[in-house]
Amino acid sequence: MTTASRPTTPEPSDGRPADREPILQVRDLVKHFPLTQGIVFKRQVGAVQAVDGVSFDLFPGETLGIVGESGCGKSTVAKLLMNLEEPTSGEILYRGEDITKLSGRALKAVRRNIQMVFQDPYTSLNPRMTVGDIIGEPYEIHPEVAPKGDRRKRVQELLDVVGLNPEYINRYPHQFSGGQRQRIGIARGLALRPEVIVADEPVSALDVSVQAQVVNLMERLQDEFNLSYMFIAHDLSIVRHISDRVGVMYLGKIVEVGADAEIYEHPTHPYTQALLSAVPVPDPEARQYRERIILSGDVPSPANPPSGCRFRTRCWKARERCVVEEPLLAVPEAFRGTGGPAAHDSACHFAEEKPVVPRER
Amino acid sequence: MATSVELSTEEGGTYSGPLLDVRNLHVEFRTREGVARAVNGVEYSVDAGETLAVLGESGSGKSVTAQAIMGILDSPPGFVTQGKIIFQGRDLLTLGGEERRKVRGARMAMIFQDALSSLNPVLNVGEQLGEMFTVHRGMSRKEARARAVELMERVRIPAAKERIRSYPHQFSGGMRQRVMIAMAMALEPELIIADEPTTALDVTVQAQVMDLLAELQREYNMGLILITHDLGVVADVADKIAVMYAGRIVETSPVHDIYRAPAHPYTKGLLDSIPRLDQKGQELYAIKGLPPNLLHIPSGCAFHPRCPRARDVCRTDDPPLYRVSQHRASACHFWKETLGDDSVPSDDT
Ligand SMILES: Nc1ncnc2c1ncn2[C@@H]1O[C@H](COP(=O)(O)OP(=O)(O)OP(=O)(O)O)[C@@H](O)[C@H]1O
Ligand SMILES: Nc1ncnc2c1ncn2[C@@H]1O[C@H](COP(=O)(O)OP(=O)(O)O)[C@@H](O)[C@H]1O
Ligand code: SF4
Ligand code: SF4
Ligand SMILES: [Mg+2]
Ligand SMILES: [Mg+2]
């Protein structure tokens, strides 16, 4: 077997359209959940550092994928963006305005523009509401978007947009399959014509064949309505497929972020490399020439993260410096100014390239 | 202990067929809404040391087939209505309850997706592992305990001596799955059925667990039936594949052939619908429609409402498992055309 040469790398670009302003800017976002002891007199004995200093930008019309192992803080970031949790500190700027400081009508106006699609199509829809009521519910909170007399027609349009029969408007969620329910969730997310959709594992509960239908739908809607997506998933292949840029999270922090080809073909952070190397690829021929990095141990508790680099307890390259000094998320010195695809943000003192994704047929 | 049983047939001759041979298995659930035909003539076999991957979407009957093999079908409402499950030469469906129980655990064992609900929450793992040896092997508690520690070390649970007193909920998902593997391995069975053993785990932990399983399988030369819906996991570990749809095997094949050129449109659809890790693709191929309701399986070929190749004959005639080559079979009237779709000579030699 010859080792196939890698395809030529796409233009070195960090995927950020230079001429556009980000629609969302997240700065040093922190969310600690207090750990308390005692029933009557609650004492705080520590904190789960679910999100600990996360920063990123989201540009109009782009998809930012977020990957990472269970418990690393992906859903917490989503909830913070949606204002479902209050940040411990940090800023979330929507078109330059910090939404964590807004309240009342100003907040409501901004929230209209950021909507969410949830993972579980089986539990996220109220079983006692009709599909029409579910999709039209956002209009109760934002009646200015669709006057009462208009709503039924709007909802039917939305059903049509997501590929469901508009006549299903009076049916209940249990009369639909998982993929169809996820379409209903997407229709509801679209009701207020948002600019940003935060999708937390939107296809993880679906079978492969149905997953493809929903992913295609999301891509079509993005083009049609110029939506920005934050797409959270643990399936790295799906994330590559849909994302323009990808952020990798570990224990409450983003450890590497870049354009999809930068992350998948030129990862420089050991955790990203391990994660990618562990993905089973659907090609039996790849067995022979893949090199898998098997990490030892489990993810440490976010209530008590390691000092220095949080990945050091599982990193095969860890040295003394990793214990005492926290690596910052920036272009590593070795690649600074090279302009190559390895020159993207990576929080590792000893960042180096290591191709880990085997080429498929 | 009578060890010769496993090698002799009823007629007294020596058995030389596959370790497990499932023939024309039918299982139905008799529910209030009607009869759900969950398994409709499944055929597959696995040899010692071999890994058979059973692939299919949820509801296709993968787990029910496994439960029938293990003899743990939820009955009623579930009933095996036809077929044979030949294990080491004996049809398990003809065995009495006591004999069946002896096979289960000692000769064949199962690993489930959800370790937390299949381990006993009120016994520590040492007690649960030890029980295998006291009950099945008549060991003293002290001996059993020592064996339990060995087993935990064997599945690479760190600090086994101390962790043996822990309860299942005190382990992480990956460690718990190791405890399940240890339980399954305890009596050194000839066959292990792993039902989505890593579906609930993160990829890095999945890799650890699959590695461990493969290593143990090699060491003990076990047959392994790996049930999964993940085409990546299959490509990584399987020797051969059985693809299920609506309770039937629609394609069986050695692993390399099926990825190179599927002989059934459903398999082809599945392979085409997964995004790739090594490049950014165009729009994904999506199989249209939904898997069938088992109360009303479509006539003819059950896949016909979703099949891009369907013709009139597919609506009326149920395709048999056509033989494609010595080790391949496809339940499609048009398997030749389907193969032709992809059978460009492979260029990776
Ligand atoms: N309300 C809460 N109170 C205390 N801890 C919490 C709370 N919500 C989340 N956590 C903790 O914060 C961490 C991050 O959780 P989060 O749900 O964001 O993870 P995730 O990356 O979405 O994981 P998954 O892939 O499993 O969905 C976890 O350790 C979790 O247990
Ligand atoms: N105890 C049960 N009672 C009724 N129906 C069942 C039962 N167990 C499984 N089924 C049905 O049998 C079919 C096949 O299920 P299963 O084998 O679990 O599918 P999978 O391929 O996802 O493992 C499904 O339609 C399921 O609903
Ligand atoms: S900083 Fe050190 S421990 Fe962290 S990823 Fe880099 S080498 Fe590993
Ligand atoms: S028999 Fe007909 S419907 Fe069934 S898979 Fe083949 S072509 Fe499609
Ligand atoms: Mg989550
Ligand atoms: Mg199952």
Side-chain angles (χ1 to χ4, degrees), chain B residues 57-64 67 113 195-196 227:
Chain B
E57 294 182 82
S58 66
S60 58
K62 307 180 295 293
S63 299
V64 170
Q67 288 158 10
Q113 170 175 348
D195 191 352
E196 313 252 7
I227 297 174

Side-chain angles (χ1 to χ4, degrees), chain B residues 8-13:
Chain B
S8 58
T9 62
E10 284 125 291
E11 300 85 44

Side-chain angles (χ1 to χ4, degrees), chain A residues 96-114:
Chain A
E97 198 169 17
D98 187 355
I99 61 173
T100 65
K101 303 220 162 60
L102 295 179
S103 60
R105 286 178 68 190
L107 178 63
K108 206 171 131 186
V110 169
R111 286 193 58 177
R112 206 193 114 185
N113 287 310
I114 309 176

Side-chain angles (χ1 to χ4, degrees), chain B residues 332-343:
Chain B
C332 171
H333 295 305
F334 302 104
W335 63 268
K336 274 191 196 128
E337 289 85 339
T338 308
L339 260 186
D341 261 5
D342 285 277
S343 58

Side-chain angles (χ1 to χ4, degrees), chain A residues 136-147:
Chain A
E137 199 181 18
Y139 299 137
E140 301 291 327
I141 308 159
H142 297 274
E144 73 281 5
V145 182

